[in-house]
Every structure is written in C-alpha cells, then in structure tokens.
C-alpha cells in the first residue's frame, strides 16, 4: 500500500513564480557579498553593535535562501505549498525473506499472517469491463510465459564439531515414543547409547547465498528425479486412479470426512491443539513410561494434520481448504526458533518428532506449490536436521547428536526428501550416513528385517519403516534396492496384516507407503500390495466414527493413540487412504555399482 507524505511547507504560504525565486536568490547573494566586504572595513570593525546586527541579518538571509531552495525542490516545482502529495511506494526487491519475517514463539495468537492469501487481479470497473469485452472478445487469450526453473540449493552442516550447551537432564527410557508393539517378532529391551555432541551449528542457506548443486555431467545427481511427484493429487478422474490401485468411493469418502473433521478441529491461531483432543495420555506401551509424550506437541500434530490436507491436493494456494492450510503453515512459521528448530513447547520425547513432522509439512507445501516465501523457513529447519544427525552412526534420536533409532530416522528422511523436491538439497554425506545407520539395524537372512536400534532385535514395525527408508534412499541416490532384502521385508509385513481389533496406525502408515511404493516400481510386488490394501481399507473404513461431533475422525483407542490424540489418529488414517495418489511413480533406478552384504542374523 503506498505511503503518502504531505508536501512540505517551509517558508511562505504565498506561491511564487520561479523567476521571483531566481531574483530573490541573486539579490540575497549580492547583499551577502556587500555585508562581508563591510565587515572588513573600519566601519564594520569600529562599531560592535552594528557588526552584530549585520552578522545576524546575514545569517537570517542565508537561512531564508536555503529554506526557499529546499521548498522549490521538494514542492510542486513552483514553490507553492498546495501542490500534490508525494507518494512513496515500498516494494519487495525479490528477496523472499522479506515476506517471512521471523516471529517469536510467544507471538500473540492474533498476529498478522505471514502467508497472505494471493491478491486478486485488479478489478476492472463494470463500464470498462464491458467495453473491454466488446473490443477484445475476438482476441485469443494471452499465453502465459513458462516459469523458469530455479536452481537447487544445498544446505551444508560444518564438519567441525562444536560444543553445545547441555540440555536439562531428563531420565530417558530405553525405548522410543513411536516404537510399536510387535507380537510376531520378539525384541529385547534396547539400551540407551552415549549421547554425542551435535555435529555442528546450523548453517541456514538462503536463496542468495546457497551454493548451487554441481552440474549433472560433473557428478552423479543427488536429486529425486521424479519431475512431478505430486501431480496425481489433483489429477482429473482421481477416483478411477484410486479404483485401479485398490481403493474405491468409500475410501475417498472416508478421506473427505476426515478432512472436514480436521478443518473443524483447527484452533483460531492455526494450530491443532494436541491436549484438546486427548494427546499426552501415558499408556506405558511396551512397559515404559514416557512422561505423557505428545502433550503440548502442537507443532508435530499440526504438521501431521497439514500433511493430510496436502496429501489430498489441498494447499494454501489451491483447493477447498486453502485458508485452513495457510493458517496452519502460519502457526508453524511463527513457532520456529532462531536455530531453525520446530519443537514448540513439546517435551523431550516428542521434540525431534515435532521438528521432523513440521519440517516435512513445510517442505511438502513448498514443493507442491513452488511458493518461495516458505523457502527461508524450510532451509533453516533442514539446517537443524543436518546439524542434529549423529556423524558416526548416521541416525537421529531425542536430542541433537544422539546415536539414533529407526523410528526417528523415517521422519527425518521424509522431511529431507521433501525439501530436496523443493530444491533444498542435503549434502551427499548426509545420505551416506543414513545408509550407514540402515546397515547397522539390518536383520534377517537377507538383511530385510530391521531393528529399532543397532543393539536390539528385529521388529515388524521397524521393518516397515526401514523398508520405506531404503526405497526412499534409492530415489535420492538413484540406485536400486537389494531385491532379496525387499522381498524378505515385504513377506514379514504381509504376515502381519491390519486388523480392526488392533489398530496400529504408525506401523500401518509406513507399511502402506513401503508396499505401495514397491509395487509402483515392480509389478511382481502387486500381490503383496493387494493383500495389504484389502485388509487396510476394511479396517479403516469400518472403524471411522460416522456420527456425533467427532464424525470423520478415528478414536484414540489404538497403539500410540493415547500419546498422539484424535488429531494424530485421524491424520495418520487419512494419509494411509491417500496413498493411491500421494506420490507419482518414481523413476526407474540404476543398478547398484557395488554389492553390500547384510549383517548376519543376531543370535538373540
């Protein structure tokens, strides 16, 4: 909006012509010269009183001359004070950071939004519009200029370790908040590894300072090659696509009902309040007390809700829920800390989950829409992810630098992969370390099973998550997965199909992603997908609430449902049912250039 500054009135209320100003200026200059000469005569030196009067007159004349000169320049050109106002327009110079000013965590709920809705095109007056339609109705519509692809950028974490201030000491149980009950494979309790310092401070790249990725000819690309990974979300005839992959009108109706409930559950400040919908209920899953993890985990829970909307094709720029998504993204942006973390007010067990889930949502929103206003926040969040990775094990856990677990790894990988699709690359050594961690948790005859931590036994839920991580890693690095290991993992998942009597949405989410992704790449995996999908859809459709104030949601009487609450269960279930169009089929991978051997099966 233009800033209006009134024209200056500095000397006289009378408007004078330019000629009068020139004459007055010249006369003042001549008088000043005469006065200076008089001051050097005996008269000027012998009469002090007169001397002072002459000097005073000279100063006043000079001030008047200067004032009239400024008036002539700043006024309307004629020296008058009644000229038009000076209008100053403040414009954005193209730096996206200007539209994403950081707002502190304690910002008021009614703070102005960071992501203003896109302005409508200039409205044409009715008369002019009618005239324009008469004169231009036969002209072809203008052809929009294609958008220029922007260069990718890489966020790098410095290799020199730095000292980080100690975090408040809390007792950490030897399990993860999201580890899942597994009745088919017995695991021994895991022991807590020795925490290591954070790899480095966050180096947050911005579009003007980020180093471009090397040309494809110079080095193998680390970019995910799918050109439009989100194109199926808004594809015409989506129901037909869903039906060809095992979904139906019922699954789509379930997703629509879930989104309606989530939209109604959003708070006025854009968040989804975890406590309001039953999060943080300690259930001592696997016999361990996690201090009610999930309580105050609003950034993570809000990130999951946003991912459910994004997965169905709704963003802050398009779709029925534009305003819902925009306000949710604004909440996350307002709660990002200076170092890039998105913990919000979450407690220790939930902090890193909150960060990765919220980063995942922000990055996916940017990748879907190419809205570069989100880029500074995504870059800072990715920088925090990179600095939190353990440089030795390659994993993530509760605190930056912890040795890592498979559960945290999955969310971090999805956040980084989405950021990479948005053009924000992680350095290649990040993925090398991820592969190192995945190798450390391999179990089974062919390395297809996976454990929660390197020193524990195999788990079905972690096998699902690790399988999806390996498939995602093959996209990032452009390699093929070891088929024997993938087959072993898939067999373990199909042996533990979803059941309505025991809902484990965390396990189901990763298994659904992994099995669907695998059958997209290999038709031989179609039978596994059909078996899983049939059981999944039956379990989810029949357990969705269909009446009352919570119609469209899923109850919290599930594994981990007490920790995450109703928003968690509803978002996770909806994302499972969106799998048919969530991601387009990945490109064909290249063959691995070197063989790897799985870790031998554990003797425990």
């Amino acid at each position: 909006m233009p800033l209006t500054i009134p024209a200056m009135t500095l000397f006289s209320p009378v408007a004078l012509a330019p000629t009068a100003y020139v004459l007055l200026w010249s006369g003042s200059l001549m008088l000043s010269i005469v006065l200076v000469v008089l001051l050097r005569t005996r008269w000027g030196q012998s009469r002090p009183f007169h001397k002072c009067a002459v000097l005073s007159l000279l100063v006043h004349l000079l001030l008047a001359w200067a004032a009239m000169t400024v008036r002539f320049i700043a006024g309307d050109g004629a020296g008058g004070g009644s000229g038009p106002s000076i209008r100053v327009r403040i414009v954005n110079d193209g730096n996206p950071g200007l539209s994403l000013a950081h707002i502190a965590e304690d910002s008021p709920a009614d703070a102005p939004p960071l992501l203003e809705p896109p302005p409508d095109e200039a409205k044409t007056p009715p008369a002019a519009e009618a005239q324009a339609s008469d004169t231009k109705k036969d002209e072809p519509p203008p052809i929009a200029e294609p958008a220029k692809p922007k260069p990718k950028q890489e966020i790098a974490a410095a290799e020199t370790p730095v000292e980080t201030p100690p975090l408040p000491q809390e007792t950490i149980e030897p399990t993860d908040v999201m580890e899942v009950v597994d009745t088919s494979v017995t695991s021994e309790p895991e022991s807590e590894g020795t925490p290591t310092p954070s790899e480095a401070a966050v180096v947050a790249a911005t579009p003007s300072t980020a180093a471009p990725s090397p040309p494809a000819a110079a080095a193998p690309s680390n970019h995910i090659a799918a050109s439009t990974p989100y194109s199926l979300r808004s594809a015409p005839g989506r129901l037909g696509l869903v039906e060809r992959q095992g979904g139906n009108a019922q699954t789509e109706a379930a997703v629509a009902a879930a989104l309606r409930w989530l939209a109604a559950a959003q708070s006025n400040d854009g968040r989804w309040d975890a406590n309001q919908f039953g999060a943080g209920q300690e259930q001592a899953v696997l016999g361990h007390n996690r201090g009610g993890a999930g309580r105050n985990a609003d950034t993570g829970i809000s990130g999951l809700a946003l991912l459910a909307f994004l997965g169905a094709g709704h963003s802050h720029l398009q779709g029925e829920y534009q305003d819902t998504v925009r306000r949710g993204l604004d909440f996350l942006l307002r709660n990002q800390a200076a170092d890039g973390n998105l913990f919000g007010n979450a407690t220790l067990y939930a902090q890193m989950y909150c960060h990765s889930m919220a980063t995942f949502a922000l990055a996916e929103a940017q990748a879907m829409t190419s809205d570069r206003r989100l880029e500074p926040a995504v870059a800072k969040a990715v920088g925090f992810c990179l600095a939190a990775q353990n440089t030795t094990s390659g994993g993530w856990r509760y605190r930056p630098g912890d040795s890592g677990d498979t559960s945290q790894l999955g969310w971090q990988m999805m956040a980084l992969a989405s950021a990479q699709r948005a053009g924000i690359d992680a350095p290649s050594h990040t993925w090398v370390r991820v592969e190192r961690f995945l190798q450390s948790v391999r179990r089974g005859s062919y390395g297809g099973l996976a454990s929660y931590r390197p020193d524990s036994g195999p788990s079905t839920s972690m096998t699902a998550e690790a399988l999806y991580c390996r498939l995602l890693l093959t996209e990032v690095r452009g390699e093929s997965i070891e088929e024997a290991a993938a087959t072993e993992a898939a067999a373990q998942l199909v042996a533990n199909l979803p059941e309505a009597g025991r809902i484990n949405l965390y396990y189901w989410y990763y298994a659904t992603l992994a099995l669907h992704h695998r059958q997209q790449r290999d038709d031989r995996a179609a039978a596994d997908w059909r078996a899983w999908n049939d059981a999944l859809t039956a379990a989810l459709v029949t357990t969705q609430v269909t009446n009352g104030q919570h119609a469209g949601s899923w109850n919290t009487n599930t594994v981990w449902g007490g920790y995450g609450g109703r928003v968690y269960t509803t978002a996770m279930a909806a994302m499972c049912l969106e799998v048919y169009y969530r991601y387009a089929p990945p490109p064909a991978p290249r063959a691995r250039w070197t063989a790897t051997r799985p870790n031998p099966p554990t003797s425990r």
Side-chain angles (χ1 to χ4, degrees), residues 309-374:
F309 286 101
L310 294 168
H314 303 279
S315 73
H316 60 293
L317 299 182
Q318 67 176 17
E320 178 184 353
Y321 297 103
Q322 288 183 52
D323 186 64
T324 300
V325 176
R326 178 184 59 79
R327 291 190 295 118
L329 294 174
D330 269 332
F331 168 72
L332 295 183
L333 295 174
R334 290 197 304 269
N335 283 271
Q336 186 173 40
D339 64 356
N341 87 69
L342 289 157
F343 293 166
N345 295 323
T347 56
L348 176 65
Y349 284 106
Q351 284 180 349
M352 289 300 290
Y353 284 110
C354 284
H355 175 73
S356 53
M357 290 170 180
T359 302
F360 186 8
L362 287 173
E364 188 159 295
Q366 184 191 341
M368 270 185 67
T369 64
S370 300
D371 188 347
R372 296 191 66 184
R373 292 177 297 172
L374 293 166

Side-chain angles (χ1 to χ4, degrees), residues 116-273:
E116 291 288 354
D120 295 334
E121 295 182 1
K123 301 297 183 182
T124 307
E129 185 176 0
Q131 182 179 0
S133 63
D134 289 338
T135 57
K136 296 185 178 182
K137 61 184 179 180
D138 295 329
E139 295 182 11
I143 300 176
E145 181 179 354
K148 297 179 180 179
K150 63 185 183 66
K152 298 248 181 178
Q153 61 172 295
E154 182 173 300
I155 305 256
E159 288 298 327
T160 305
V162 297
E163 293 293 332
T164 55
L167 297 174
Q169 295 298 317
E170 298 190 39
T171 303
I172 302 179
E173 298 291 342
T175 64
D176 191 282
V177 63
M178 287 297 186
E179 169 63 342
V180 195
V181 172
D182 183 3
T183 58
S184 60
V185 181
T186 303
S187 309
E188 293 187 4
E190 301 86 3
S191 60
E192 178 67 39
T194 303
T196 61
S198 172
E199 175 183 349
V202 176
V203 180
T206 62
S208 59
T209 60
S213 299
S221 172
N222 283 328
H223 304 157
I224 294 178
S227 57
T228 54
Y230 308 105
S231 59
L232 298 182
R233 300 183 182 191
S234 301
R238 197 173 74 178
L239 180 58
L241 171 71
V242 169
E243 291 174 338
R244 287 192 297 273
Q245 298 180 74
N248 49 49
Q250 276 188 305
T251 62
E252 283 291 86
V255 171
L259 297 185
R260 285 195 298 271
W261 184 87
L262 287 170
Q266 187 180 31
S267 299
N268 291 334
D269 64 355
R271 83 180 70 204
W272 278 267
D273 191 320

Side-chain angles (χ1 to χ4, degrees), residues 469-501:
C469 287
R470 292 187 190 112
L471 290 166
L472 200 56
L473 188 62
T474 62
E475 287 187 31
V476 174
R477 306 190 72 184
E479 299 172 352
S480 61
I481 193 170
E482 295 174 57
E483 195 54 43
T487 300
E488 183 178 36
Q492 177 69 18
L493 305 184
V494 173
N496 292 272
L497 294 175
E499 297 178 8

Side-chain angles (χ1 to χ4, degrees), residues 543-565:
T543 56
Q544 187 178 30
V545 179
T546 57
N547 52 63
Q549 63 175 336
H550 295 308
S553 69
W554 276 265
N555 290 322
T556 60
N557 56 344
T558 68
V559 179
W560 305 110
Y563 292 101

